[in-house]
Amino acid sequence: MTTTSSTTTGPAKRSAPRFGNRQQLQQLLAFAGLVVIFGFFSFASPYFLDWANVKGILLATAVTGIMALGATFVIATGGIDLSVGTGMTLCSVMTGVFLANMGLPLFVGVLGGLAIGALIGLLNGLNVSYLRLPPFIATLAMMMVAQGLSLVISGTAPIYFSEVGGFDQLAGGELIPGLPNAVLIFFVAAAIAAVVLSKTLTGRYALSIGSNEEATAISGVDVRRWKVVIYTVAGLFTGLAGIVMASRLNSAQPGLGLGYELEAIAAVVIGGTSLRGGKATILGTVIGALIMATLTNGLRIMSIPQEWQKVAVGIVIVLAVYADILRRGKEA
């Protein structure tokens, strides 16, 4: 997996700050934080290093991490996507409709779930780019729409995949012995996201727009069209997260998903991607997702009350954002 913060457009490239070593240092600090958290809980609890518990951390990381990969692209543009959590739910519900209710072949149903995710991202992109809605408002509205549609379409009841052969193996199987497919899917998705961010126009324009949108437009880039593309890419990751979640549970739970968007955004920020845009790192997002899951798991295994778990996660997020502010101040 690679990371990047470079741009290719002329004016945007000149106006973009130099990240290079600073970004590598940020990733190193995030990784050091993960090691410290992992080491602390290893000494604090004799059960933490059990492979079953470690596998649980990886499984908890997978769904949030996949959503966070998509959110990284949006945040790289300086935007935000609050619809990833309920969007994931809608994708899992629609996958249930395609497979369990309509009886479509497994491959077609999975593609249908991904298409729903892409459609959610497309609509977000159109609202942000052409209706000029602030990303916060556009995606907040989509969050509510997706939540409502999930409840309406499912009739507020779970959709089970027990009659759909092989669906539970998409996430629960083990192509590599000992490693759940959900985790494998997450790492493969992260590798693809890293390539898209660093080697394709989609990633480079996302960073360029986030660095200086006006300069990017002046250099001849159709900013509105590329924003639509970027939000659609993020929607594809949302769809994939929905399918993985549904496969893990072997059901589509219409009440699930709300709150996941905050975990995904937190993972992105903790990993070193700037909320102001122009700087993004897929490796950092992977580390951020692992930090979130490790911290939550460690506190839970130490029997820390859930409300204090949220306090701890909140403090970590504040520290991550504050570090970004300090870094930006030095770069200015």
Side-chain angles (χ1 to χ4, degrees):
M1 291 170 284
T2 60
T3 62
T4 185
S5 60
S6 62
T7 61
T8 56
T9 55
K13 184 176 181 179
R14 289 193 297 272
S15 60
R18 295 177 181 178
F19 299 129
N21 293 334
R22 288 185 182 277
Q23 188 163 21
Q24 292 175 4
L25 177 61
Q26 179 70 20
Q27 292 174 6
L28 186 61
L29 288 174
F31 181 73
L34 175 62
V35 171
V36 169
I37 293 172
F38 204 87
F40 172 78
F41 287 119
S42 300
F43 283 104
S45 172
Y47 307 106
F48 184 77
L49 285 180
D50 285 352
W51 173 240
N53 188 59
V54 174
K55 191 159 65 172
I57 293 174
L58 293 174
L59 282 171
T61 303
V63 172
T64 303
I66 293 172
M67 281 190 294
L69 295 175
T72 304
F73 286 90
V74 173
I75 294 175
T77 68
I80 195 79
D81 188 351
L82 298 177
S83 67
V84 291
T86 56
M88 175 194 70
T89 304
L90 180 58
C91 291
S92 65
V93 167
M94 288 306 300
T95 302
V97 170
F98 295 143
L99 293 176
N101 294 356
M102 299 175 64
L104 296 178
L106 181 61
F107 180 72
V108 177
V110 169
L111 283 182
L114 291 174
I116 295 299
L119 178 61
I120 293 172
L122 175 66
L123 293 174
N124 279 335
L126 290 173
N127 288 333
V128 170
S129 298
Y130 291 95
L131 296 185
R132 299 187 181 281
L133 297 179
F136 182 91
I137 299 300
T139 58
L140 177 65
M142 181 58 72
M143 179 180 78
M144 300 175 70
V145 169
Q147 185 182 20
L149 286 177
S150 298
L151 295 170
V152 169
I153 293 171
S154 66
T156 71
I159 300 176
Y160 294 98
F161 295 86
S162 53
E163 302 297 326
V164 182
F167 183 73
D168 60 332
Q169 294 301 305
L170 289 179
E174 295 182 353
L175 285 177
I176 299 176
L179 186 68
N181 287 343
V183 180
L184 181 62
I185 291 171
F186 170 48
F187 287 134
V188 171
I192 294 172
V195 172
V196 173
L197 185 62
S198 61
K199 302 296 183 184
T200 70
L201 290 179
T202 300
R204 293 173 183 174
Y205 285 155
L207 294 163
S208 181
I209 291 169
S211 294
N212 193 324
E213 182 172 337
E214 184 179 359
T216 304
I218 292 173
S219 68
V221 176
D222 189 339
V223 170
R224 290 191 296 181
R225 182 168 68 87
W226 278 104
K227 276 190 176 181
V228 173
V229 171
I230 292 161
Y231 274 89
T232 303
V233 169
L236 277 172
F237 283 102
T238 298
L240 179 60
I243 292 167
V244 170
M245 174 63 89
S247 177
R248 275 194 61 195
L249 301 175
N250 208 23
S251 64
Q253 303 288 334
L256 197 65
L258 192 61
Y260 274 76
E261 63 280 349
L262 299 180
E263 293 187 19
I265 293 169
V268 175
V269 175
I270 290 172
T273 292
S274 175
L275 279 173
R276 298 183 182 182
K279 179 183 179 186
T281 157
I282 294 299
L283 179 58
T285 296
V286 172
I287 295 173
L290 285 168
I291 287 176
M292 290 283 293
T294 303
L295 185 61
T296 303
N297 178 276
L299 294 173
R300 185 182 301 128
I301 209 170
M302 291 179 65
S303 301
I304 302 298
Q306 190 173 11
E307 51 268 32
W308 284 108
Q309 295 177 25
K310 294 182 182 296
V311 170
V313 172
I315 291 173
V316 171
I317 294 171
V318 169
L319 291 175
V321 174
Y322 185 62
D324 179 51
I325 292 173
L326 290 178
R327 185 174 59 250
R328 285 282 180 172
K330 291 180 180 178
E331 291 170 353

